[in-house]
Amino acid sequence: MSRIRKFTSFSLRDLFASATPTVLAIAAVCVIAYLIVDPAPPKHVVLGTGQDNSAYDAFGRKYRDQLAREGIAVTLQGSHGSSDNLAQLNERKVDIAFVQSGSTDEAEAERRGLVSLGSLFTEPVWLFLREKPGTAPVTQLTQLRGTKINIGAQGSGAPRLFRQVLDVNGVAPGELQTGQLDNTPATVELLEGRIDGLVFAAAPDDPLIQMLLQTPGIYLFDFAQAEAYTRRLPFLTHVTLPRGIVDLGRDLPARDYQLIAPTATLVARDDLHPALIELFVQAAGKIHGGAGWFQQQGQFPSAKYTEIPVADEAAKYYKDGAPLLQRYMSFWLANFLDRMWVLLLALSALILPLSKIVPPLYVWRIRSRIYRWYGQLRTVEQAVETVKDAPPEQRAAAYATQMARLNDIENLVNQISIPLSFAEDLYGLRGHIQLVRLRIQALLGQPHDESPAATV
């Protein structure tokens, strides 16, 4: 019974040993491909925002929270605004940043290797002026000659933008006194009466704008020629601040105001990982996709209103929506499968030929346990042949030694454990052992009886 247990229908141990080299080779290819074919996206990114308490700063925090849910750590890098953010992108201090349309042009963006992830929201030009007793409100920008106007913080997009607006009105920068204080101190200067006006280019939910729209003695300039501005400066759009939008109960503002507005865009270096671009664009859809003062539901984010070329991944999102895999699984799993699909195709072609190697290796491994004893058997035969011409006493002693050796071989062969499908080879070996025994017995002059060790 114990000998019967030595025979099995299949040897998992031998199959595992035979398949291990193939499995290790495939695993090595997978690891190399994972590290080299298309590197995984980084888990940390730096986002250039804006001044403290600005709309850029507020939206930056929303992006940080949104991407944290996907395992991406976002560090917010404050700045004075668009121009500062562009400089930090060029110096590789940030990976992605908020930039106002009109801050650069297509040729310059391509030269610096910048791509747009799309427009996010409109940033109207807010020109707040201080009321002067006995003086009519300003209705034309040409009336600003000789006044003190803060045109935006140095490094923001507002100074460049407002100078372009003044230029199309035929007003030279030297015809008015311009300052470039940050938004908060500029607001203090306006409220204290030390300047006549200040310029913002920001989203309406900027806290300073909300405050100034409700401050007595401060009024908003109405760009009555807004449509003409959009024809002269194509990166601008014409938006309307509706009556009562600030406070319906107090009817603030008391009438519609026409405004001109660039758009805020997300700009990145063109070497930013494609998966991060997809993730930021999807986050933009959740953060900026709702209705607002100047936009309809679903109007933003958009591939429009930007002079910087839109990244391919962003353009695909605006056309087809989120990638299919990311709609049903986590970002990292979807990204892994998306990166590995080429490898999976290659492996499917590689596994088939490699799998054909395993069965022959399995057969060779089993049969090698049997065939290696033929070498021992051949050694016994050669030893018998070498003493054929020796003296009878020496020959008899040599034959007896080889017979004992043959019995040892047979005992060891009887302990071999092999699958039943290879039993024929085992019995063939035992038959050959018996043939050699019979020959030695004949040479010794012994009767041809079967050795007890040969019995099953």
Side-chain angles (χ1 to χ4, degrees):
M1 189 68 176
S2 61
R3 292 186 179 181
I4 294 176
R5 291 195 186 100
K6 296 181 184 296
F7 295 91
T8 58
S9 60
F10 194 76
S11 175
L12 290 176
R13 184 184 67 179
D14 290 298
L15 178 63
F16 178 78
S18 302
T20 295
T22 300
V23 172
L24 290 177
I26 293 174
V29 171
C30 292
V31 171
I32 293 172
Y34 179 80
L35 297 174
I36 297 177
V37 172
D38 189 5
K43 294 185 177 182
H44 176 259
V45 64
V46 180
L47 171 62
T49 55
Q51 300 178 50
D52 291 341
N53 300 318
S54 66
Y56 287 174
D57 181 50
F59 282 123
R61 290 193 293 270
K62 292 183 179 181
Y63 277 92
R64 180 182 60 192
D65 296 341
Q66 190 69 40
L67 268 69
R69 299 171 188 169
E70 303 294 347
I72 304 294
V74 178
T75 298
L76 303 182
Q77 178 66 53
S79 71
H80 289 293
S82 288
S83 297
D84 203 4
N85 283 343
L86 281 172
Q88 293 194 80
L89 280 168
N90 294 330
E91 296 168 6
R92 294 186 171 271
K93 293 181 179 179
V94 298
D95 303 300
I96 188 169
F98 294 109
V99 174
Q100 193 178 86
S101 64
S103 299
T104 184
D105 55 48
E106 182 176 355
E108 181 69 11
E110 290 182 346
R111 186 181 68 81
R112 296 184 177 184
L114 301 178
V115 292
S116 171
L117 277 61
S119 302
L120 308 177
F121 52 90
T122 54
E123 291 189 293
V125 176
W126 308 87
L127 173 56
F128 289 101
L129 298 168
R130 184 165 49 86
E131 292 180 352
K132 296 181 180 180
T135 304
V138 173
T139 58
Q140 294 287 333
L141 292 184
T142 53
Q143 297 173 254
L144 294 179
R145 291 187 176 98
T147 59
K148 289 183 177 181
I149 304 294
N150 191 83
I151 61 174
Q154 187 174 3
S156 69
R160 173 189 170 105
L161 173 60
F162 195 65
R163 288 190 181 105
Q164 290 174 290
V165 171
L166 290 176
D167 183 63
V168 296
N169 280 275
V171 179
E175 295 184 85
L176 64 159
Q177 299 179 48
T178 59
Q180 291 189 256
L181 297 174
D182 287 351
N183 293 341
T184 300
T187 301
V188 173
E189 292 293 297
L190 179 65
L191 296 177
E192 294 293 331
R194 289 188 283 269
I195 60 174
D196 299 306
L198 59 81
V199 175
F200 286 111
D205 46 4
D206 187 302
L208 292 177
I209 292 174
Q210 291 282 330
M211 180 194 72
L212 290 171
L213 285 172
Q214 304 178 62
T215 301
I218 304 297
Y219 67 95
L220 178 65
F221 178 80
D222 186 4
F223 285 88
Q225 300 166 304
E227 194 61 34
Y229 281 103
T230 63
R231 308 297 174 84
R232 296 291 298 274
L233 302 171
F235 59 87
L236 295 176
T237 56
H238 174 195
V239 297
T240 300
L241 182 68
R243 176 179 176 177
I245 190 68
V246 177
D247 190 322
L248 284 169
R250 292 189 293 162
D251 195 23
L252 293 176
R255 62 182 179 86
D256 290 349
Y257 279 82
Q258 308 307 313
L259 302 175
I260 55 176
T263 57
T265 62
L266 266 179
V267 176
R269 297 194 305 271
D270 56 11
D271 59 356
L272 184 66
H273 197 287
L276 286 182
I277 292 179
E278 292 177 351
L279 200 56
F280 265 96
V281 176
Q282 292 176 46
K286 297 174 182 177
I287 295 171
H288 307 288
W293 284 16
F294 304 111
Q295 66 192 55
Q296 298 177 348
Q297 181 82 22
Q299 182 179 351
F300 291 101
S302 170
K304 301 177 181 178
Y305 319 118
T306 174
E307 69 278 14
I308 301 175
V310 177
D312 293 339
E313 294 78 13
K316 185 177 180 181
Y317 171 84
Y318 295 126
K319 180 181 179 182
D320 303 324
L324 180 63
L325 293 178
Q326 292 188 27
R327 300 176 191 175
Y328 304 103
M329 58 185 65
S330 69
F331 166 74
W332 288 104
L333 178 59
N335 177 257
F336 173 79
L337 295 177
D338 186 55
R339 292 166 50 229
M340 291 294 107
W341 71 270
V342 175
L343 174 64
L344 293 176
L345 290 178
L347 283 179
S348 63
L350 183 63
I351 289 173
L352 182 60
L354 286 178
S355 63
K356 292 182 178 180
I357 299 175
V358 175
L361 284 176
Y362 175 77
V363 171
W364 173 83
R365 182 176 175 83
I366 298 296
R367 286 181 171 170
S368 66
R369 297 181 193 169
I370 298 172
Y371 293 158
R372 68 188 181 90
W373 291 106
Y374 278 100
Q376 300 288 333
L377 199 59
R378 184 57 181 161
T379 301
V380 171
E381 286 187 302
Q382 289 176 345
V384 171
E385 290 293 330
T386 57
V387 297
K388 284 178 61 177
D389 299 326
E393 297 81 2
Q394 182 180 351
R395 190 168 59 247
Y399 289 164
T401 299
Q402 297 307 317
M403 181 65 77
R405 185 178 180 184
L406 189 65
N407 290 336
D408 290 340
I409 291 174
E410 187 173 32
N411 287 332
L412 293 173
V413 167
N414 287 337
Q415 296 176 25
I416 295 176
S417 175
I418 60 172
L420 288 172
S421 57
F422 295 90
E424 181 180 358
D425 296 318
L426 178 61
Y427 280 99
L429 172 61
R430 293 176 63 183
H432 294 149
I433 291 173
Q434 183 62 15
L435 288 176
V436 175
R437 175 181 287 108
L438 292 174
R439 183 181 177 190
I440 295 175
Q441 288 176 344
L443 292 173
L444 288 171
Q446 295 178 357
H448 296 172
D449 56 342
E450 186 177 359
S451 169
T455 305
V456 179

